[in-house]
Amino acid sequence: MDPILYNKIISVGVYGSAIGLILIGLYAVLVKKHLTKIVIGLSIIDAGVHLLFIAVGFIKGGTAPIFSEKGIELVNQGTAMVDPVPQALVLTAIVIGFGVTAVALSLVIRLYRHHHTARIDHIKSLKW
Amino acid sequence: MVISPVHYIALPLLAAFLMPLLAKVNRELVRIIPGVVLTYLLFVSVVLMQRVTETGQPIIETLAGWQAPWGINLVFSQFTGFLVSLMVFMATLIWIFSYRFKKVDNEPALKYYILFMMLVTGSVGVVLTGDIFNMFVFMEITAIASYSLTSFYRDRDGAEAGFKYLLIGSLASTFMLLAILLLYTQVGTLNMAMIAERMHTVPVGMKVTILILFLTGLGIEAEMFPLNGWAPDAYSQAPSPVGATFAALVVKAGVYSLIRVIFTLFDIQGAYQYLIIMGIITLIIAEFAAMKQTNLKRMLAYSSIGQMGFVLIAFGIGTKEAVFGALFLMFNHAIIKSLLFMSGSFFVYNSTSKDIKGLSGIGKKFPYMGFLFSIGAFAIVGLPPFSGFWSKLYILIAAADESMLALVAIILLVSIVEIVYYFRVVAKLYFGKPTDKEVVHKPTFGGYFSMTVLAVVILLVGFYPDIITGFIHRAADTLLDKGAYISNVLSVGH
């Protein structure tokens, strides 16, 4: 296959699936009534954003951004390095997302024990 | 030990994670350690503010030996220093207030103080950091601690309020992450000074997209309409010292980040008008909603939202006087709203219901507490001998100077609404018929102490505004001088 076309298909696929994940997650958060499904939706949005981060930092044929003999040799030969910053950011964002999901699930358990239901439209002791 | 801005972040974080171990040694340490850390940070604030005021230059701390555009740096300027000192001062008072807090027994006390220290770390870090992604991380630390503190009591609807807050908060953080990603693809750096320098190369459409994503992400903590649905629930369900913490620390961090993004990072003219419009909507809706509330804490929460709308309006006017007024109002809001939450919570605790109706005549039973609450109520509506008067006056003058007379009219009209609902409570306190069923819980000594300090500060600033205006003037100048911020941060180590 033509390499330019191939690259285009790959990048459309990656960006498209990242945005698709974000939209699927948003749909789950906004439409679903079950608390756990909402939390899953939040995680899916997170995954989409993380994929977008990685896709932005990626350079085709680039080597790993590690300061090693092999790495320096490759760079001297003209190989580009993948941008390390988005990868570092994604690691941090994953950890934060994990923390938020853990807190969210513990709140779901608490809500379930308190109200004996996990449907968000049945829990309305606080109103505007 | 050399005093440096790093201590603001390192010490509370260290204390938070050491506390479970220290609790094994002695249970009482759990309550004492936060106080020791916060008192030391207060001392750090005094020393650093003095240094910054003397030299007129910000203290810029590079972390891990990496210079500005590559590494993360902390910027302690006259503006950020002022906010950080205010936060640490308030955190210390809230610690004194919650020391031996009634419902906090030994086991929950550990959790409470760990989360409280995390909250301090996060909100102070948001203000100090010079790196946009680092700001996001601190925002999340603040947010996760806030979610947990909101749902602290098991017997209330805290979990529901906490889950609402978490839903809005984590969506917001996703938007902020997207904004940071787009910004990074456009300018190739995360350092805020560098971003500000390269911002003019970004196409306008992209700039607006990023700004909108940022505003959505940051408006949540800043209680900007329509992203403030979490606030009334969270304020009313959280333990009372946490309500004060939200008003004094979390919201301040939110407003700071919003202002930093609009004033330093972006140079879009329309953003200021946007702030004014959102501020007006926030102000009007919140104040009218507050008037309709029957629950005291919810009323205070809506009033808090209204005050933030006021702050946004003042920042939106954007002149030096207006920014001065906005910072003054942020200071006033921190001290006054904390006083109201602290004293209001004792009334709620001592009455049969959480409603304002249940407060009937309670001011006669607790004359001193009623006096403190009244000081807070008079100060926040802006009656002359109290500190709230000056900030309102300066904002009105700034608006009039820019010949925004409609704005002046709106602010004054909304003030009437504010007066109506605060005076309704004060009238209930003193002129209502006392009910004699309630059990009387006295405030702790710490509670009396911190509330008295706040009332004294309100009166002092009301009579002698000069003791604080110098700092606020310099803070406003520092915020508006974008060029100095960029050159100061980027010149370190060159």
Side-chain angles (χ1 to χ4, degrees), chain B residues 89-358:
Chain B
F89 173 68
M90 290 313 302
T92 316
L93 283 182
I94 290 165
W95 168 74
I96 297 173
F97 178 82
S98 52
Y99 189 81
R100 292 248 161 265
F101 190 63
K102 281 277 157 51
K103 279 194 180 172
V104 181
D105 300 329
N106 271 337
E107 190 49 46
L110 178 62
K111 288 179 203 155
Y112 172 79
Y113 284 114
I114 290 175
L115 290 170
F116 182 63
M117 291 320 268
M118 298 293 285
L119 200 68
V120 173
T121 313
S123 42
V124 166
V126 166
V127 178
L128 278 180
T129 183
D131 182 281
I132 192 84
F133 189 77
N134 202 222
M135 189 194 253
F136 166 79
V137 172
F138 281 123
M139 215 67 174
E140 285 303 290
I141 294 177
T142 317
I144 292 177
S146 307
Y147 308 148
S148 318
L149 278 173
T150 303
S151 47
F152 189 71
Y153 288 152
R154 280 167 191 279
D155 52 342
R156 292 190 195 168
D157 291 317
E160 190 181 341
F163 194 77
K164 266 188 199 173
Y165 189 3
L166 186 142
L167 260 185
I168 306 178
S170 54
L171 276 179
S173 74
T174 312
F175 284 126
M176 192 179 169
L177 206 55
L178 272 177
I180 291 171
L181 173 69
L182 286 179
L183 198 59
Y184 181 73
T185 59
Q186 294 299 312
V187 296
T189 177
L190 293 168
N191 185 279
M192 288 204 275
M194 202 74 165
I195 293 172
E197 202 185 44
R198 292 184 183 170
M199 205 60 197
H200 60 93
T201 59
V202 180
V204 176
M206 200 59 176
K207 243 189 222 175
V208 173
T209 315
I210 298 170
L211 184 62
I212 288 172
L213 283 172
F214 263 125
L215 289 177
T216 322
L218 299 172
I220 308 254
E221 301 289 354
E223 297 182 354
M224 186 172 72
F225 179 83
L227 310 165
N228 47 22
W230 62 272
D233 295 343
Y235 277 99
S236 60
Q237 298 306 318
S240 344
V242 176
T245 318
F246 284 166
L249 275 81
V250 178
V251 176
K252 295 293 165 299
V255 172
Y256 165 82
S257 52
L258 205 61
I259 294 316
R260 180 57 91 197
V261 164
I262 288 179
F263 276 66
T264 309
L265 257 52
F266 290 84
D267 47 0
I268 302 174
Q269 280 303 316
Y272 297 97
Q273 276 84 328
Y274 173 83
L275 273 188
I276 294 186
I277 293 168
M278 292 321 275
I280 290 175
I281 299 175
T282 312
L283 181 66
I284 291 176
I285 290 186
E287 299 289 19
F288 278 97
M291 200 164 71
K292 277 195 65 183
Q293 295 304 313
T294 51
N295 180 319
L296 181 68
K297 279 191 178 177
R298 284 184 87 87
M299 188 198 93
L300 290 177
Y302 274 113
S303 157
S304 183
I305 298 173
Q307 296 285 316
M308 282 306 115
F310 206 2
V311 169
L312 291 183
I313 292 175
F315 274 120
I317 297 170
T319 58
K320 212 171 128 184
E321 289 77 25
V323 171
F324 168 75
L327 288 174
F328 203 163
L329 185 58
M330 278 167 82
F331 168 79
N332 278 335
H333 177 255
I335 54 173
I336 299 170
K337 196 42 70 63
S338 303
L339 177 63
L340 284 171
F341 265 108
M342 289 174 179
S343 51
S345 72
F346 273 109
F347 295 143
V348 173
Y349 194 29
N350 279 306
S351 70
T352 39
S353 64
K354 283 186 159 192
D355 288 356
I356 295 170
K357 259 185 261 160

Side-chain angles (χ1 to χ4, degrees), chain A residues 35 38 42 45 49 52-53 56 83 85 89 92 96 100 104 107-108 110-111 114 123-128, chain B residues 133 140 151 154 157 159-164 166-167 170-171 174 177-178 181 184-185 190 229 237 298:
Chain A
L35 289 170
I38 292 175
L42 287 176
I45 300 180
V49 176
L52 208 56
F53 259 95
V56 161
D83 190 350
V85 176
L89 301 190
T92 319
I96 291 172
V100 171
L107 286 180
V108 170
R110 180 89 70 83
L111 276 172
H114 199 73
I123 300 171
K124 39 186 165 189
S125 29
L126 295 173
K127 270 186 272 175
W128 294 78
Chain B
F133 189 77
E140 285 303 290
S151 47
R154 280 167 191 279
D157 291 317
E160 190 181 341
F163 194 77
K164 266 188 199 173
L166 186 142
L167 260 185
S170 54
L171 276 179
T174 312
L177 206 55
L178 272 177
L181 173 69
Y184 181 73
T185 59
L190 293 168
Q237 298 306 318
R298 284 184 87 87

